[in-house]
Amino acid sequence: MDPSTPAKAVKHVVEAAAGKVADALTPDVPGAPGSAPPTVEEPTTPHDPLPPKPEQGTPDTRTPTGVATGVPPIAKGQQGAYLTTAQGARLRDTDHSLKAGPRGPVLLQDHHLREKITHFDHERIPERVVHARGTGAHGVFTGYGSAEGVTKAGFLAKGKETPVFVRFSTVLGSRGSADTVRDTRGFATKFYTDEGTFDLVANNIPVFFIQDAIKFPDIIHAGKPHPDREIPQAQSAHDTFWDFVSLHTEAQHHTMWNMSDRAVPRSYRMMEGFGVHTFRLVNAAGETVLVKFHWKPKLGVHSLTWEEAQMLGGMDPDFHRRDLYDAIEAGAFPEWELGIQVFPDTPEETFAGIDLLDPTKIVPEELAPVQPVGRLVLNRTPTNFFAEVEQVAFHPGHLPPGIDVTNDPLLQGRLFSYVDTQLTRLGGPNFAQIPINRPHAPVNDMLRDGFHQHAVHAGVAPYRPNSLDGGNPFPAGVDDGAFVDVPVTVAEAPKVRANPVSFDDHFSQARLFWLSMSPVEKEHIIRAYTFELGKCYHQAIRERQLRCLANIDPVLCAEVATGLGLPAPQPTVPLADVAPSPALSQVGGEWPADGRTVGIVVDPTSDLDGVDQLRRAVFGAGMVPLLVAPHGGTVGDLPAQRTFATGRSVEFDVLLLAGAPTPAPDAIPARDAKAGAADSVTVDPRVLLLVEECWRHAKAIGAWGDGVAVLREARVSGTPGVVTGDSGTEVFAAVQRLMAAHRVWERFPASVA
């Protein structure tokens, strides 16, 4: 992380100019809510709106028909120094209704009151049925050129840069739910290519619950809160969900992923993405292949522990959103590689015995390696969350020339559903004209009128053929870059409601996933099944799901059954003989620690010069140091970002101890419940709680000087991943090596192999 980047330089200048001494000392710590610091007194001198924060971006200034206007993005924001009506009339008062005398009734003629309240009454639009809870960011995609042999899609050409907008989301919860629930995540990317918009509507799990879109309302109705009580919110630990997935056993593979650590990602920046379906690519010669799309995060795939996820749901339900935006503000831009698995386009549409049209199946990467085709970097946050994140509309049928769909029955249904849902959510058929959805290619579609029509169409003949408009618009040929549906032969067959026989295998790939996990990941899966099924009211549902687990693995079934106090059933089908896929495990590699958060416990007796050197080392390593102190304000000349009362272990990726703070004046349970966490008179009990939580969440911990005494008091000295040294920078260097593996799992030996 380079402290000279423009975002940081601007922020530093603004803060310093305002005399914000304490904050100006830490310009690299992200999270400032505005582009300039506030004054204590209410500002009274009129001035134009402040510019956006340096890390913010907006949709390109395009006309409704895709033409670049050349107008700066700020032109789309509010204008002028004075408050006005929606029609631009200046207002002198927005705090008092127009009344018949100071105590009289409010007058109907108060046009400002009616405009203000009417707009407020209609500020909300229907939230998405699924993926309601989301966040998003702008970025750029750069093609590697490595895909040119299999597709003519121009955005994948070598060095080609394409603007993108990405929306991350959870599936089950409402807009007000927490970020860190156990759930599938959406990873939807809108590529604004110059050949038309391409929407890659992906998830962080490569398979789906169902094989046919006609069941989509059923699985979502089962996963959503119970309709009588509207509980539980944003979780699958309830009867209707497990009732459905234990009866529709095709869901068992996805459920296994959902019970794994994949369902509680540490960060969107550390989350893999999958296109789920098989797509068809066509190259310039008309040759076709089948592919699956993969997003591979630069930082590796990492997760929260289950306890961390639960704690964050209470203390910071916006954790993933905050993490994404703070990383971009700090210059630790999230990055992924887009890759493809390539398969021959054969009439059977299978590979290695796996049906490529079955969305509940994966092809292990050991059989078909993921080939990198481009790089995605997110580098700008939204300027207005509603206008961008809430109004962005994705559709798997938004495809550029060179990419086409297959007959995957789930994908086929999505091709209808995504357009249909926008009509209600976004108020009519012209949702493509909302700025965040506007294509960056010329549009001449002959579509007219409807709610919220922003374009002012010229001409008199929106039909073809015509002569009154000189024949415009004209059809494009293949050489003109037209999208051509691949002429796939449809085999002669009776019209039936049925699946192919190859869709009948519901357990082998769930077993493949289980056998591919490391011992510690298996422990987490066992715990997740035990927790979720333990929350079900009816024992019959628990027993039925145990039958499914028996068909996946006897150890998994037996361990979950023990936790539920039930006998483990025998399998009803032969256990599949499958080879593990190492690519499915999150454990065992090393990755960059860009953008990680380092908690540093300090007090006035700490070596503050050494702490300052440590802070600089953390910044220089591309991470964010947060000082945790007995009180707010400053400790010496160093600003405290957290106090023992306000800080909690889940905010930090590692914890460093620069001292052994004695109990602060507010370390009494009557004022702070955390102060009752330990019975210590020498160290503040909230510091001991920080250490204990980080230790049991398998995080690296370091200490030097007086801080070593805290390790002894917490009884964690000498355990794996707990390091000491002579200085903060020495300890940080050792901790960095541990951070590469994300967690210190060897601290907790597993009971299953």
Side-chain angles (χ1 to χ4, degrees), residues 70-330:
V71 176
I74 197 172
K76 291 183 291 189
Q78 60 270 37
Q79 304 294 318
Y82 296 99
L83 177 67
T84 74
T85 67
Q87 306 303 318
R90 291 183 178 179
L91 294 164
R92 69 177 185 85
D93 186 350
T94 191
D95 295 328
H96 305 91
S97 302
L98 189 64
K99 308 178 189 72
R103 298 177 59 82
V106 174
L107 301 179
L108 184 63
Q109 74 182 62
D110 188 345
H111 63 93
H112 176 45
L113 167 70
R114 286 185 288 114
E115 178 187 73
K116 187 175 180 180
I117 295 297
T118 298
H119 194 282
F120 171 77
D121 289 345
H122 298 273
E123 277 185 0
R124 295 295 175 262
I125 63 175
E127 68 175 33
R128 291 165 167 88
V129 176
V130 289
H131 297 277
R133 173 69 178 181
T135 192
H138 299 271
V140 62
F141 177 84
T142 305
Y144 289 165
S146 53
E148 291 182 349
V150 294
T151 179
K152 59 184 178 182
F155 77 98
L156 294 173
K158 186 173 183 179
K160 177 69 173 178
E161 293 189 351
T162 301
V164 299
F165 186 81
V166 176
R167 187 177 189 271
F168 301 106
S169 56
T170 55
V171 171
L172 291 179
S174 66
R175 275 193 67 191
S177 58
D179 279 350
T180 58
V181 295
R182 180 178 296 280
D183 199 359
T184 305
R185 264 71 180 176
F187 189 145
T189 306
K190 187 177 289 291
F191 297 81
Y192 301 97
T193 89
D194 51 20
E195 297 178 300
T197 300
F198 172 43
D199 286 346
L200 181 52
V201 192
N203 285 338
N204 75 319
I205 292 176
V207 291
F208 211 70
F209 284 107
I210 53 175
Q211 296 168 322
D212 192 311
I214 200 169
K215 295 182 182 181
F216 192 75
D218 301 307
I219 179 58
I220 298 305
H221 288 166
K224 284 285 189 176
H226 294 197
D228 55 346
R229 300 186 179 189
E230 188 63 12
I231 53 176
Q233 174 62 246
Q235 61 172 293
S236 55
H238 56 95
D239 288 69
T240 58
F241 174 81
W242 288 101
D243 185 37
F244 182 89
V245 301
S246 61
L247 290 169
H248 284 74
T249 52
E250 68 199 62
Q252 290 298 312
H253 189 196
H254 187 287
T255 303
M256 179 69 75
W257 281 75
N258 229 35
M259 294 302 103
S260 77
D261 292 340
R262 298 278 186 150
V264 282
R266 158 61 180 83
S267 164
Y268 290 132
R269 301 178 290 127
M270 303 163 200
M271 190 175 81
E272 209 165 2
F274 305 91
V276 178
H277 308 290
T278 299
F279 290 82
R280 180 172 276 108
L281 301 187
V282 56
N283 64 15
E287 300 163 331
T288 62
V289 295
L290 301 178
V291 302
K292 286 183 176 290
F293 290 104
H294 295 249
W295 288 113
K296 297 286 190 181
K298 173 188 175 184
L299 302 181
V301 184
H302 308 298
S303 298
L304 297 166
T305 67
W306 180 230
E307 185 183 35
E308 284 180 304
Q310 292 174 302
M311 291 170 62
L312 284 164
M315 66 165 292
D316 189 3
D318 306 303
F319 179 72
H320 284 151
R321 181 180 298 185
R322 190 186 316 281
D323 174 89
L324 177 70
Y325 293 153
D326 282 356
I328 293 174
E329 182 183 350

